[in-house]
Amino acid sequence: MHERLEFAIHLALESGRIQKRHFEKKLSIGYKGEINLVTNVDLECENRIIELIRLNFPDDEIISEEKANLFEKGKNRWIVDPLDGTTNYAHGYPFFCTSIGYEEDGCVTVGVVYNPITEELFWARKGEGAFFNGNLLKVSTTSE
């Protein structure tokens, strides 16, 4: 498996452990816009993901939903939503995930999505297909 893909999966699983630990417990909730929630769990997941990326890939840039993003054109970067579905999470509705992508030379080459409650892990690497919990996903043969 590709090094960045393996690492993205590791990041998503790590974030999922944090989400699972806090799920259905009292949260600190703020707003980053008129209706957009941000919780202490969003920030804890984001901080952990960023910490691990900087430790393992210090030359890569990071675009993350909860922080100010400044980046240079042409650099490789991680694209992170540490808690995708914050409103669901905050209401105890178990449909949320961590979403992570990796962009190389302006092209997204890796994508990972993980829901820790349902333990659903989706991942893809450019040119290698998409997988769900390790099984290759296929396009339906139904034409209509």
Side-chain angles (χ1 to χ4, degrees), residues 23-24 85 87-96:
F23 188 58
E24 295 185 318
T87 300
N88 285 351
Y89 187 86
H91 289 92
Y93 190 62
F95 296 97
F96 55 85

Side-chain angles (χ1 to χ4, degrees), residues 46 74 78 105 132:
E46 179 178 73
W78 296 89
D105 301 317
F132 168 63

Side-chain angles (χ1 to χ4, degrees), residues 11 14 17-18 50 60 73 75 80-81 83 99 101 136:
L11 294 173
E14 182 75 14
R17 280 190 278 283
I18 295 167
I50 289 172
D60 288 348
K73 187 176 181 178
K75 287 192 85 174
V80 177
D81 189 341
L83 179 47
S99 300
L136 180 65

